[in-house]
Amino acid sequence: MNVFIATCDLAGHTRGRAVPASREAAVLRGGTGWVPADLALTCFGTIAENPFGSTGDLRLLPVPATRADIPADGDIPGTRLYLAGQTLPDGTPWECCPRTFLADAVEELQAELGLVPVASFEHEFTLAGPRSPDPAGPFSFERYRTAEPFGSDLVALLEGNGFAPETWLPEYGEAQHEITLAPTDALAAADRAVLLRELVRDLARRRGLRACFAPILHPAGSGNGVHIHLSFKGGAMHDPGRPGGLSEPAARFCAGILQHAAALTAVTAASPVSFLRLTPHRWSAGGVFLAERNREAMLRICPGSGAEFNIEFRAADATANPWLALGVLLRAGLEGIRRGYPEPVVWPESVTEAELAAVPPMPKSQGEALDALEADEVVRGLFAPDLINTYLSVKRTESRALDGLDDAESCRRIADVF
C-alpha cells in the first residue's frame, strides 16, 4: 500500500504525491515537497499566469485526522490518502493554502462571536458505463438496485472511513445519484467533501463505471449540484420567535452572503458552464433571496428545530474547491454580522414567482461572476492578494480555453475533466 498526500487546488482537483508506506511516519512528521505554482494549475492541466513562477518551495503537511483508506481490490493495490495543509519550508502556514483559508475562517467566527460552524455537503453526480445504470425513472427502487454493487460498496467505503453517510439515492436526472453525509465541524465537512469525490470516482473506475461531478452535462439537461448546509453548534442559528426561525446573528450572517452573492458564486460555482444550471425552474438557485423551504432560493431555510435547524446554500457545484467555497461563505456571513447588514426578507414557502420578480438574479455567466468578484472589495479582501489574483487568473484561463465553443461542447469539455 502506498500513501498519497494530497491537496485540493483552485480548479477543484485533488493533486499531490505518493510515498512508500515505509515512509508514512516520516511524512506525517515533516511532509513532502510541493511547488507554489501548482496553485495555478487549471482544470485542463495547464498553468495559468501566476505570481510564483519557477521559484519557491512548499511542504504538503498531512493532517492525520483526514486519513482515508481504499482497500485492495483484485489486482489493484490499496492506498492510504491524507489531505494536507500547504506550509512554508519552516512549517508555518502558507497564506495561499485553501485549507488554511477555511481553518482561519472557522477560528475567526469562534474567536469573535463564539459561533462554531457545523456543515454538510450534499453531492450529486452521474454514473455511466458499458452497462447503463439508469433503466428506470427518478428516485426509483429499480434505478437504485441497478447501480449495485456500486451503491452498497460506496456506503461501506464511506462508513469504514468514518464519513457517516446518511442517504444514498437515485436522483432526478438521467443516471444521476446523490450521497449525503451527516453534519460535522466545518473543516472536517470540507475535508470529507474533497475526499468523497475521489472515493466515488475511484470506486466507479474499479466497477467499470465513470462518475462525473460536472455541474451540467448538456445545456438542456439536469445539473449536478453541491448543496452546502450550514448551522452553528448548540442551536445558535435558531430562534423560533423570529422571522424564519433565524436568530439575529444568523439573519445577519445570511445578509452577508446575500449582499455579496454575485462575487461569492465565482468561488462556489467555479466553471464556465456552472451558470447554465443556476437559472429559474431548475431547482438549483433561481435568484438571490432567502426563503423557507424553497428550492429556487439561493439560501433555503430547511425544516427542523434546535441543533437540526440549518440553512442550505444552493448555488454551488463540485467544480469548486470545498475549502474555499465553505470558507468564503463563512467569511461573508461574518462580515454581515460585523458590519451590521440589515436583516434580509425571509420569503415564506407560499411566495409566488410574481412576488419574487424584483429579487436580484443570479449572475448569467462565469465572466459576470468573476467581474463581480474582482469589483467587490469586501470579498476580495477576504483573501490573501496572491491567492485571489491566482484564483482569478486560473478561472479566466479556464474560460478562455472554451472560447468559440457552443454550450453543448463546453459542457462536454468540462464533463471530461470532472
Side-chain angles (χ1 to χ4, degrees):
M1 174 184 286
N2 286 331
V3 176
F4 196 87
I5 313 301
T7 184
C8 184
D9 65 13
L10 303 186
H13 283 191
T14 303
R15 308 183 198 265
R17 294 186 175 186
V19 300
S22 60
R23 294 204 64 245
E24 181 177 1
V27 170
L28 286 173
R29 288 193 302 270
T32 187
W34 201 238
V35 178
D38 287 341
L39 190 72
L41 283 163
T42 72
C43 68
F44 301 115
T46 58
I47 297 180
E49 185 177 344
N50 65 84
F52 313 112
S54 60
T55 62
D57 287 282
L58 298 171
R59 305 293 288 176
L60 291 179
L61 188 62
V63 180
T66 67
R67 189 183 88 183
D69 286 336
I70 301 174
D73 191 349
D75 60 355
I76 302 175
T79 296
R80 177 162 291 166
L81 180 60
Y82 288 99
L83 296 180
Q86 298 180 54
T87 73
L88 299 176
D90 64 3
T92 57
W94 186 42
E95 66 176 1
C96 294
C97 171
R99 190 174 190 274
T100 299
F101 178 80
L102 173 57
D104 288 349
V106 171
E107 185 177 330
E108 286 178 28
L109 264 170
Q110 184 166 5
E112 290 190 29
L113 302 170
L115 297 174
V116 179
V118 174
S120 178
F121 289 68
E122 294 181 8
H123 280 84
E124 296 170 338
F125 59 93
T126 56
L127 281 175
R131 177 175 64 86
S132 172
D134 187 37
F139 315 114
S140 67
F141 181 70
E142 184 178 358
R143 184 192 292 182
Y144 159 75
R145 289 292 287 170
T146 306
E148 295 285 33
F150 174 86
S152 292
D153 288 348
L154 175 60
V155 170
L157 179 63
L158 296 175
E159 286 186 322
N161 282 294
F163 281 27
E166 287 192 329
T167 59
W168 155 248
L169 63 144
E171 250 288 354
Y172 178 77
E174 182 180 355
Q176 187 181 52
H177 293 77
E178 179 181 273
I179 188 80
T180 66
L181 304 179
T184 188
D185 290 347
L187 188 56
D191 289 341
R192 290 177 180 180
V194 174
L195 291 166
L196 179 138
R197 299 172 190 180
E198 299 311 317
L199 295 181
V200 169
R201 290 187 180 106
D202 183 77
L203 179 62
R205 281 192 295 269
R206 291 185 279 123
R207 295 293 174 267
L209 300 166
R210 180 174 184 266
C212 181
F213 287 84
I216 191 165
L217 276 67
H218 187 276
S222 299
N224 290 319
V226 174
H227 303 152
I228 303 176
H229 290 260
L230 280 166
S231 61
F232 301 135
K233 193 166 285 187
M237 183 166 275
H238 189 221
D239 184 342
R242 287 176 44 82
L246 289 168
S247 65
E248 181 180 351
R252 297 192 189 280
F253 182 90
C254 291
I257 293 173
L258 296 172
Q259 178 73 25
H260 300 285
L264 299 181
T265 56
V267 179
T268 64
S271 83
V273 302
S274 292
F275 292 85
L276 295 176
R277 63 175 286 273
L278 297 180
T279 58
H281 310 126
R282 283 185 178 270
W283 286 34
S284 54
V288 179
F289 64 99
L290 169 69
E292 297 179 282
R293 298 177 294 279
N294 186 324
R295 288 174 175 81
E296 290 281 306
M298 183 187 206
L299 283 178
R300 181 176 83 104
I301 301 173
C302 300
S305 61
E308 295 181 350
F309 185 85
N310 68 91
I311 58 169
E312 178 187 35
F313 180 82
R314 297 181 58 80
D317 61 54
T319 63
N321 178 304
W323 295 320
L324 290 185
L326 183 52
V328 80
L329 293 178
L330 295 181
R331 288 175 179 269
L334 178 56
E335 289 300 310
I337 299 172
R338 279 174 174 164
R339 297 168 183 261
Y341 286 172
E343 295 186 26
V345 173
V346 178
W347 293 98
E349 187 175 6
S350 59
V351 67
T352 65
E353 283 194 49
E355 290 174 304
L356 291 172
V359 304
M362 299 295 298
K364 293 181 175 60
S365 67
Q366 184 187 39
E368 185 179 325
L370 291 171
D371 288 346
L373 175 58
E374 204 156 12
D376 191 324
E377 294 183 3
V378 173
V379 177
R380 279 183 61 90
L382 304 177
F383 297 83
D386 282 348
L387 176 56
I388 190 61
N389 290 335
T390 303
Y391 184 85
L392 288 164
S393 177
V394 166
K395 294 303 160 184
R396 293 203 187 278
T397 300
E398 291 174 350
S399 182
R400 286 195 296 272
L402 302 185
D403 281 352
L405 303 181
D406 62 19
D407 287 345
E409 182 59 27
S410 294
C411 288
R412 284 193 288 271
R413 288 289 307 277
I414 294 298
D416 285 344
V417 293
F418 285 97

